[in-house]
Amino acid sequence: MIIRFTRPRASEARLIAGVEFHPEDNEVVGKVYDAKSQLKYATERRDAHLAGSVRVTVSRLLRELAAKIAGNPSF
């Protein structure tokens, strides 16, 4: 399962943040890509059920990625 959202920048470039779920390992990892699909940032893998459910863990990870993008001028 891959969930993605984009954030337009003033320069018209887009960032793509995604969360990948690896069911065989029961882990999720968050990644941020630039407009050319180059990986800019990745989180550590974490247990998909750490907060009680995959949905909660994915939501938390997306909020963390959004905060990272918003707070980092290099993005």
Side-chain angles (χ1 to χ4, degrees):
M1 170 174 61
I2 299 175
I3 300 168
R4 296 176 189 242
F5 70 91
T6 61
R7 178 176 179 245
R9 302 291 293 185
S11 63
E12 297 299 319
R14 291 188 176 263
L15 295 175
I16 300 168
V19 176
E20 299 173 4
F21 173 54
H22 303 274
E24 64 280 355
D25 300 323
N26 197 41
E27 293 179 328
V28 292
V29 63
K31 296 180 179 179
V32 177
Y33 298 91
D34 65 14
K36 296 178 182 174
S37 297
Q38 298 295 315
L39 181 66
K40 292 185 64 82
Y41 174 77
T43 65
E44 295 290 324
R45 290 180 177 255
R46 57 184 79 173
D47 185 331
H49 297 289
L50 187 63
S53 73
V54 174
R55 181 181 295 164
V56 171
T57 303
V58 168
S59 293
R60 179 176 289 152
L61 194 51
L62 284 171
R63 283 193 305 272
E64 288 176 22
L65 289 172
K68 177 83 172 165
I69 292 169
N72 188 336
S74 70
F75 285 116

